[in-house]
Amino acid sequence: QVELVESGGGLVQAGGSLRLSCAASGRTFSRYRMGWFRQAPGKEREFVAATDWSGGNTYYADSVKGRFTISRDNAKNTVYLQMNSLKPEDTAVYYCAAADSLALITKYKTYAHWGQGTQVTVSS
């Protein structure tokens, strides 16, 4: 029901910053809990960050706490992931996801809608 399109990925040096955006279609964006996940080659998809419907409650993987910030602008139907102090181990395809489930927000199976992903590469 909702289409998600990520953008903002690219190549950055270690210590640099990127801001990912996820644009959602439709008129009911504010009804969805939104999350960011990432997957590196040869690894499982892992949780990065998530936010509730209002953006007032946020959740982060331990590996990105203090470096990444998730936010949403419901008026623009967009969720963001500000990534600072990037490390080579942050290199992955980053996916935006939307869920209307009340299941655990850090689990990828909670999310029913996924974007196509955007590549983030951090060089050392």
Side-chain angles (χ1 to χ4, degrees):
Q1 186 173 343
V2 59
E3 292 186 358
L4 306 173
V5 180
E6 303 96 334
S7 63
L11 176 64
V12 65
Q13 295 182 19
S17 298
L18 285 173
R19 190 188 193 191
L20 306 184
S21 298
C22 174
S25 66
R27 305 172 184 175
T28 59
F29 175 74
S30 63
R31 297 182 182 180
Y32 292 92
R33 303 159 82 198
M34 302 297 299
W36 287 95
F37 292 76
R38 66 187 183 186
Q39 188 167 20
K43 295 185 177 181
E44 299 291 327
R45 186 170 299 189
E46 66 175 348
F47 169 77
V48 176
T51 183
D52 64 8
W53 296 270
S54 69
N57 297 109
T58 56
Y59 311 85
Y60 298 95
D62 289 341
S63 59
V64 306
K65 286 181 179 178
R67 300 189 298 121
F68 291 10
T69 303
I70 188 172
S71 61
R72 68 190 298 163
D73 187 338
N74 289 341
K76 296 182 178 180
N77 285 3
T78 302
V79 63
Y80 306 95
L81 184 68
Q82 178 67 47
M83 305 185 295
N84 299 325
S85 302
L86 283 162
K87 305 174 181 179
E89 52 263 42
D90 295 318
T91 295
V93 176
Y94 283 71
Y95 297 91
C96 177
D100 55 7
S101 171
L102 293 178
L104 191 64
I105 201 168
T106 60
K107 298 296 184 182
Y108 76 89
K109 291 184 177 180
T110 298
Y111 297 83
H113 305 95
W114 294 83
Q116 295 299 307
T118 185
Q119 177 70 47
V120 172
T121 302
V122 184
S123 62
S124 60

